[in-house]
Amino acid sequence: GGIAELSSVAMKIFGLSQDNVRAGKDPKPAPEVITRKIAAAMANPDAGRLESENLDVFTIDGKKRYFESFLFPIHGQDLSEKLFGYLAIDVTPRKQAEEELVHLSYHDFLTGIYNRRYYEEELKRLDRPEHLPLSIIMADINGVKLVNDAFGHAEGDRLINECCSIIAGCCRKTDMMARIGGDEFGILMPHTDHNTAMEILRKIQAALADFDENDNHSKFRHSVSLGFSTKRTADEDVAKLINIAEEYMYQRKLLEHTSSHSAIISSMKTTMNEKSQETEEHAERLAILTKAVATEMNLPQSDQDRLELLATLHDIGKIGISDQILTKPGKLTDEEWVEMRRHPEIGYRIARAIPELMPVAEGILCHHERWDGNGYPQGLSKEMIPLPARILSIVDAYDAMTQDRPYSKAISHEAAVEEVKRNAGTQFDPYIVNVFIEVLEKWRAQRQGHKEIQHS
């Protein structure tokens, strides 16, 4: 079991001295892993080169290194000695790459928790009598697509990661949580009965609510639909168990859909007003004037309601535009204008993701189109532009001219009306311009009449 000769690398690895080894002074024997292999080789002297089945592990400079080793007999003149050579090749980079691949094959790249592949393998392993009762919780994050469209995929990823952390914080060491879809998670809980699973589910719901209550920086709620089921006996089909959990989850999703989307829409409106210097008063004025124009044109009540919603949310796409561009006091550069002109398309994607907003999606997309076809983003002209967008563009332009903005001072009512008239037939639908001016005059006359009554 002693060492006869050492290479310089071996001396460094094992901290041994060649001179001391030759003089028999070094008290350190060969590492156990080597002497064990030599002993095995001595028991089988007729064997040729012996490859190690497993990698040898040594610590060098405080770091773990992996070696692929080979053992071979050395036949010298002195037959009384049995000498063996030990050759080791450092394969640490390969070993680390393999471990990384194994990790990636079983872990989700975004959240770092287990992925669907591992989840399905673990489900098979746990689907045995010794793990009963087995409970499964299914979780689906509400509004991820909406957050992606409204705030960008980075915010959508943040929502997923935060929900993942909150849910994982409610799990026990014996539970296994995995991301099994874009916005779906599964939790496998061996030795967990129905009541315990229900307690954990409620704990998750409470943790999500507490997070939102104490988080003043998030633009959206962390809403997750949850469902669970429990396998009590060995003859129950685990596939049916998953279906039951999913059915409960989707049932909750339907019930929570409206409230979740309403909360997200509310937060979007707040963000939009904060970012674009718009105010609730601006939205209210647009809603009143567009509805008045629609009434004057004898449009159905459904169209009037749609116009009111469009007036409130037509600029919702601005939440996806840089604050520096939205609040810039001077003129925008060409590059900044390209960015600014994306907001109708961003708003359109948001509206398409929310059933309640789908009726105004086209209006949001087209509210910067021009009657002469020189608008954006599609370059539509005349009646190709949806009627609600044609109405809104006139009302919005008038209100923008008569209110102070970071980039312009307000002008008088009379000057704004003249500007609207001047752009009839080019920027605006000429018929609607005439209707709008009539509405304005009636509106101003009514307000003046109220003032005179109050004064008298």
Side-chain angles (χ1 to χ4, degrees):
I3 297 176
E5 296 288 341
L6 284 168
S7 70
S8 58
V9 176
M11 285 187 284
K12 179 180 180 182
I13 292 173
F14 302 127
L16 302 176
S17 163
Q18 182 78 284
D19 293 337
N20 288 345
V21 166
R22 287 175 178 171
K25 296 178 181 179
D26 200 312
K28 294 182 180 179
E32 182 184 355
V33 65
I34 300 178
T35 55
R36 188 170 63 247
K37 289 187 175 182
I38 292 176
M42 290 176 70
N44 186 15
D46 296 328
R49 188 176 74 172
L50 304 174
E51 295 189 15
S52 61
E53 294 181 0
N54 300 308
L55 297 180
D56 297 340
V57 183
F58 300 116
T59 300
I60 305 174
D61 297 331
K63 296 180 180 179
K64 188 179 290 186
R65 308 290 292 184
Y66 296 89
F67 291 85
E68 192 174 66
S69 62
F70 304 91
L71 199 63
F72 50 92
I74 298 174
H75 302 288
Q77 293 181 351
D78 188 350
L79 297 180
S80 64
E81 287 187 331
K82 292 184 178 179
L83 300 177
F84 291 87
Y86 176 84
L87 173 64
I89 302 170
D90 190 344
V91 293
T92 303
R94 188 191 76 191
K95 177 66 175 177
Q96 291 173 337
E98 289 172 354
E99 289 177 346
E100 179 66 17
L101 286 173
V102 171
H103 179 85
L104 290 174
S105 68
Y106 286 114
H107 288 77
D108 175 53
F109 71 95
L110 176 63
T111 61
I113 65 171
Y114 291 115
N115 60 16
R116 188 179 192 93
R117 177 182 177 185
Y118 185 88
Y119 171 85
E120 291 178 348
E121 291 186 9
E122 191 71 358
L123 182 60
K124 291 178 183 177
R125 185 184 71 82
L126 293 175
D127 188 19
R128 295 173 183 168
E130 60 265 29
H131 299 299
L132 296 178
L134 173 65
S135 291
I136 298 177
I137 290 180
M138 305 296 289
D140 189 298
I141 305 173
N142 297 315
V144 173
K145 184 180 187 305
L146 179 55
V147 171
N148 282 336
D149 291 337
F151 301 104
H153 285 272
E155 288 296 323
D157 289 347
R158 184 165 73 86
L159 173 61
I160 292 172
N161 269 315
E162 288 176 347
C163 287
C164 176
S165 297
I166 295 167
I167 297 170
C170 300
C171 294
R172 305 160 303 176
K173 290 183 179 180
T174 54
D175 301 332
M176 196 288 295
M177 177 176 170
R179 185 183 178 203
I180 58 176
D183 50 11
E184 290 187 30
F185 297 90
I187 306 171
L188 302 179
M189 300 180 292
H191 307 294
T192 304
D193 60 21
H194 179 277
N195 291 336
T196 305
M198 175 63 80
E199 289 176 7
I200 295 172
L201 185 145
R202 288 173 177 166
K203 184 179 179 182
I204 293 171
Q205 292 172 328
L208 290 163
D210 289 344
F211 184 90
D212 284 332
E213 186 176 346
N214 298 313
D215 180 23
N216 298 321
H217 305 291
S218 183
K219 304 182 182 73
F220 37 76
R221 285 179 60 220
H222 295 71
S223 172
V224 179
S225 298
L226 300 162
F228 83 99
S229 59
T230 302
K231 178 174 179 175
R232 300 174 179 84
T233 60
D235 58 347
E236 290 182 86
D237 186 354
V238 74
K240 291 182 179 179
L241 183 76
I242 293 174
N243 288 337
I244 292 170
E246 287 180 337
E247 284 176 9
Y248 284 143
M249 179 187 72
Y250 289 128
Q251 182 177 323
R252 289 302 311 168
K253 197 169 185 70
L254 289 173
L255 293 173
E256 294 167 353
H257 175 82
T258 302
S259 61
S260 172
H261 274 177
S262 297
I264 293 174
I265 294 169
S266 178
S267 65
M268 284 180 181
K269 288 168 67 175
T270 301
T271 303
M272 176 183 70
N273 291 338
E274 290 173 351
K275 290 188 67 170
S276 65
Q277 304 298 320
E278 302 290 2
T279 63
E280 291 184 16
E281 290 79 9
H282 167 71
E284 289 173 2
R285 289 193 300 269
L286 293 190
I288 292 170
L289 285 173
T290 52
K291 189 171 184 178
V293 172
T295 302
E296 188 73 18
M297 295 174 66
N298 294 318
L299 296 183
Q301 184 62 45
S302 58
D303 289 349
Q304 295 183 32
D305 295 340
R306 192 177 299 123
L307 260 172
E308 184 176 352
L309 186 60
L310 176 62
T312 304
L313 295 171
H314 67 284
D315 272 339
I316 198 167
K318 286 184 178 179
I319 62 178
I321 305 299
S322 165
D323 292 350
Q324 293 179 337
I325 294 176
L326 291 174
T327 58
K328 185 175 181 179
K331 291 184 177 180
L332 300 181
T333 65
D334 291 344
E335 293 80 8
E336 289 169 338
W337 264 117
V338 170
E339 177 71 11
M340 175 66 88
R341 287 177 177 172
R342 289 178 54 240
H343 80 269
E345 297 174 72
I346 297 172
Y348 174 75
R349 291 200 302 271
I350 294 170
R352 292 285 296 178
I354 307 173
E356 298 92 330
L357 299 187
M358 285 187 68
V360 298
E362 290 291 338
I364 292 173
L365 179 65
C366 301
H367 75 276
H368 278 293
E369 300 288 359
R370 290 171 53 105
W371 183 254
D372 59 9
N374 291 322
Y376 64 90
Q378 300 178 91
L380 303 179
S381 63
K382 298 185 177 179
E383 284 81 8
M384 292 174 65
I385 305 169
L387 179 59
R390 280 183 272 151
I391 295 173
L392 177 67
S393 65
I394 299 171
V395 177
D396 193 24
Y398 168 82
D399 193 76
M401 287 186 285
T402 54
Q403 304 295 322
D404 285 331
R405 297 293 179 94
Y407 48 83
S408 64
K409 291 291 183 181
I411 62 176
S412 67
H413 160 75
E414 291 75 18
V417 169
E418 288 303 314
E419 185 68 14
V420 170
K421 286 181 179 179
R422 191 174 65 82
N423 284 281
T426 53
Q427 183 175 352
F428 306 126
D429 181 331
Y431 168 71
I432 300 177
V433 166
N434 292 332
V435 175
F436 175 64
I437 292 173
E438 291 179 12
V439 166
L440 272 183
E441 294 307 315
K442 291 180 181 178
W443 188 46
R444 285 173 60 82
Q446 289 175 354
R447 292 179 63 188
Q448 185 63 33
H450 286 310
K451 287 182 181 179
E452 290 176 355
I453 292 172
Q454 290 174 355
H455 181 70
S456 62

